[in-house]
Amino acid sequence: MTKKATETQPSVWCNKHEATKILGVSESTLKKLRLTNQLIEGIHWTHFSSRCVRYNVELLKDWAANRMHTVNHDRAIANFSTPYLPAKLNRVENTREKHPKKF
């Protein structure tokens, strides 16, 4: 008997239902975090199609754990390997200046 890929490897991406459980927030709060750039496109989440948004599991967990310690979370972002990072890294600091924490 062979195991499915999902049983042997942790998932990198999750849907909004799983993301709300990871962060402990409602779907409307999750959307608000995306729209206010507290969760950054290409780093914390991405569009897989026009109606399919997926969230990076590891970076969501790290964001939740280091919400008040942005330097620690920035290190996790820098250590995470994804094709979107080179173009997006400069946006991290600019986004934080425009949208101060509300939590």
Side-chain angles (χ1 to χ4, degrees):
M1 176 185 260
T2 60
K3 290 185 177 182
K4 295 180 183 178
T6 56
E7 294 174 5
T8 58
Q9 297 175 338
S11 177
V12 174
W13 301 100
C14 68
N15 62 26
K16 66 182 176 183
H17 304 291
E18 294 164 336
T20 58
K21 290 177 184 174
I22 290 168
L23 296 178
V25 299
S26 67
E27 288 182 22
S28 61
T29 300
L30 181 64
K31 185 175 182 178
K32 180 181 167 185
L33 291 171
R34 265 195 5 250
L35 295 176
T36 59
N37 290 325
Q38 292 179 55
L39 296 178
I40 303 166
E41 183 177 8
I43 295 175
H44 297 103
W45 64 276
T46 191
H47 285 281
F48 276 91
S49 69
S50 61
R51 293 175 40 169
C52 180
V53 175
R54 292 292 184 251
Y55 298 87
N56 183 303
V57 173
E58 292 304 316
L59 289 178
L60 282 184
K61 289 177 181 177
D62 187 80
W63 183 85
N66 292 302
R67 218 182 283 199
M68 300 302 170
H69 305 285
T70 57
V71 173
N72 293 343
H73 184 59
D74 290 344
R75 268 190 234 123
I77 291 171
N79 291 334
F80 192 82
S81 174
T82 181
Y84 299 107
L85 281 181
K88 301 284 183 174
L89 274 178
N90 292 334
R91 287 185 49 204
V92 173
E93 288 304 318
N94 293 338
T95 302
R96 289 208 173 101
E97 291 170 9
K98 291 178 188 175
H99 301 284
K101 290 185 175 127
K102 297 177 184 174
F103 290 95

